[in-house]
Amino acid sequence: MPESLFERLGGTTGISSIVDEVVAAHMTNPGISARFTPYIEQPERMAAIRQHTIDFFSSGSGGPVTYTGRDMVTTHKGMNISPAEFVHAVDDILMVLDKHKVDDESKKDVLAILWSLKGMVIGQ
């Protein structure tokens, strides 16, 4: 039986590391950093967002995790995220996956998941 995307991304440990590095990349990406840097002053909120993101990607990639956070539309409502900002976020994620030496097939799977979410994120 082939490995799930969750397993190919390194399970909970791998996904946690990927999420941490993606957040760090978002913090320094001039195209989207303004959306993320305010959370530096809110460590409890940042910790909650981090855990929800780990759970979301773990659950969505076939892991033994149940995501209990808000849906994507509710989460992004009122943020009015632009298509360019969405692409910046996706680029950061792909950069981190490259850094983690994630194989091309797994990167394609992640990209397909991200692209499937764009309508729930952009312009909300």
Side-chain angles (χ1 to χ4, degrees):
M1 179 174 255
E3 285 186 311
S4 68
L5 180 58
F6 174 80
E7 293 165 325
R8 290 181 278 147
L9 294 174
T12 301
T13 301
I15 289 173
S16 296
S17 179
I18 289 167
V19 167
D20 289 341
E21 290 185 39
V22 166
V23 170
H26 290 350
M27 293 281 189
T28 61
N29 182 330
I32 57 175
S33 63
R35 297 235 183 229
F36 293 90
T37 55
Y39 293 112
I40 293 170
E41 302 296 323
Q42 302 173 43
E44 292 167 0
R45 180 77 178 121
M46 178 59 103
I49 291 169
R50 175 188 181 272
Q51 191 58 56
H52 280 302
T53 305
I54 291 167
D55 292 348
F56 182 81
F57 278 105
S58 296
S59 177
S61 63
V65 176
T66 301
Y67 174 68
T68 60
R70 298 179 299 181
D71 64 81
M72 296 303 283
V73 172
T74 302
T75 297
H76 295 92
K77 189 155 189 81
M79 296 176 86
N80 199 28
I81 294 171
S82 72
E85 289 173 309
F86 183 81
V87 169
H88 279 292
V90 169
D91 286 348
D92 285 349
I93 293 167
L94 292 175
M95 176 188 67
V96 170
L97 294 178
D98 282 341
K99 184 177 175 183
H100 281 255
K101 300 186 183 334
V102 171
D103 66 278
D104 287 342
E105 192 64 32
S106 297
K107 285 189 288 191
K108 285 181 200 175
D109 291 345
V110 170
L111 184 58
I113 292 167
L114 294 170
W115 215 246
S116 75
L117 300 172
K118 73 178 186 167
M120 294 177 254
V121 174
I122 295 173
Q124 297 301 321

